[in-house]
Amino acid sequence: MENVFVVVFENQGDAYQAFDEVKEHMDYTTNYAISHMALVQKSDGKVIPCEGYSAKCHCPVTSAALGGLVGLVVGALAGPLGVIVGGAAGSFISSKMVSDGMDKAVMSIEQVSKGIQEGEHALIAVVQENQEGEFEKEFDKFKTTIHKKDAAQVSVDVEYAMKLQKKMDKWDKKHELHEEIENRRAEFKNEFKNIRESMKIVHDEMAVRVK
């Protein structure tokens, strides 16, 4: 069965060591296979990709070139949706913008994002194991918290999450436009307030002259 693993490390050095060791082991192990893998860090509430690896070329890849399901997961976590659901505003998204088909997707991204604490590193990989638990053995010597989820389910969740991200982008533009309109309206009101005050002074002066 194919699963998405999120391995969260307590120690930064362990994260990089484990990432390098898994890359080396993939050349000779038959216990599991990996399609894509990424090492990420949460900084200022945002998940940032640090390193990437693709089994297709057996080579490191940049975060921009990181493909497959891992690339989509990292993209969702690193984008505005991942920042929001990973913070205190996650409930706002659930209550205001999530349809019946998207609530589970948001929860899935939220669980991954909140599972990585500020400053922590995590290894994210799509893995096919010959026997359950083979991949997890790679991290026995490290202090980690390991999350695992069916890759097919994650794929659907991320697809829905990206659709929600597009809705959020449109909502942001509408929200920004509304704010700009309100700002311009306030400017006009202030301008006419000054004009009316000036007019009142002129009217008062004219009234005095008439008397």
Side-chain angles (χ1 to χ4, degrees):
M1 181 175 179
E2 297 74 31
N3 291 292
V4 173
F5 282 84
V6 180
V7 184
V8 183
F9 295 84
E10 291 187 13
N11 181 276
Q12 176 180 336
D14 289 348
Y16 281 90
Q17 180 182 341
F19 186 82
D20 290 338
E21 289 181 357
V22 170
K23 286 192 297 183
E24 293 176 3
H25 293 172
M26 280 193 294
D27 290 335
Y28 58 81
T29 186
T30 58
N31 294 329
Y32 61 82
I34 296 175
S35 61
H36 294 85
M37 181 172 64
L39 187 65
V40 301
Q41 179 187 18
K42 178 171 278 189
S43 177
D44 294 329
K46 186 175 182 178
V47 175
I48 301 172
C50 303
E51 293 193 27
Y53 183 86
S54 172
K56 291 184 177 180
C57 64
H58 296 279
C59 62
V61 293
T62 64
S63 57
L66 186 63
L69 181 53
V70 168
L72 292 175
V73 171
V74 172
L77 290 172
L81 178 61
V83 174
I84 292 174
V85 300
S91 59
F92 171 80
I93 295 297
S94 298
S95 62
K96 298 294 184 183
M97 302 178 66
V98 180
S99 65
D100 292 338
M102 294 184 178
D103 53 351
K104 292 182 180 179
V106 171
M107 288 178 61
S108 180
I109 299 298
E110 181 179 12
Q111 288 171 355
V112 176
S113 183
K114 288 189 174 180
I116 308 172
Q117 301 301 313
E118 182 68 21
E120 288 185 333
H121 285 71
L123 183 152
I124 303 175
V126 179
V127 184
Q128 184 186 65
E129 297 176 294
N130 293 346
Q131 291 186 348
E132 188 173 352
E134 291 294 338
F135 183 65
E136 294 170 71
K137 291 179 182 178
E138 294 281 3
F139 311 102
D140 284 347
K141 63 182 178 181
F142 303 111
K143 292 183 178 180
T144 63
T145 302
I146 300 177
H147 307 276
K148 179 173 71 172
K149 192 169 184 179
D150 178 16
Q153 180 64 57
V154 173
S155 179
V156 173
D157 290 344
V158 172
E159 181 180 339
Y160 274 105
M162 297 310 288
K163 289 180 180 179
L164 177 57
Q165 179 61 66
K166 290 181 180 180
K167 285 190 174 184
M168 287 177 59
D169 291 341
K170 292 180 180 179
W171 183 86
D172 284 342
K173 290 177 182 177
K174 289 180 180 178
H175 185 66
E176 290 173 4
L177 179 61
H178 175 74
E179 284 189 343
E180 183 62 27
I181 291 172
E182 290 301 317
N183 289 338
R184 297 290 179 88
R185 182 173 288 118
E187 289 176 4
F188 280 118
K189 286 183 177 181
N190 187 59
E191 180 182 4
F192 277 98
K193 178 184 177 183
N194 293 333
I195 290 173
R196 287 185 176 276
E197 288 177 352
S198 297
M199 289 175 63
K200 184 177 183 303
I201 294 173
V202 173
H203 291 165
D204 291 344
E205 289 177 350
M206 292 295 292
V208 170
R209 291 177 184 176
V210 171
K211 290 180 180 179

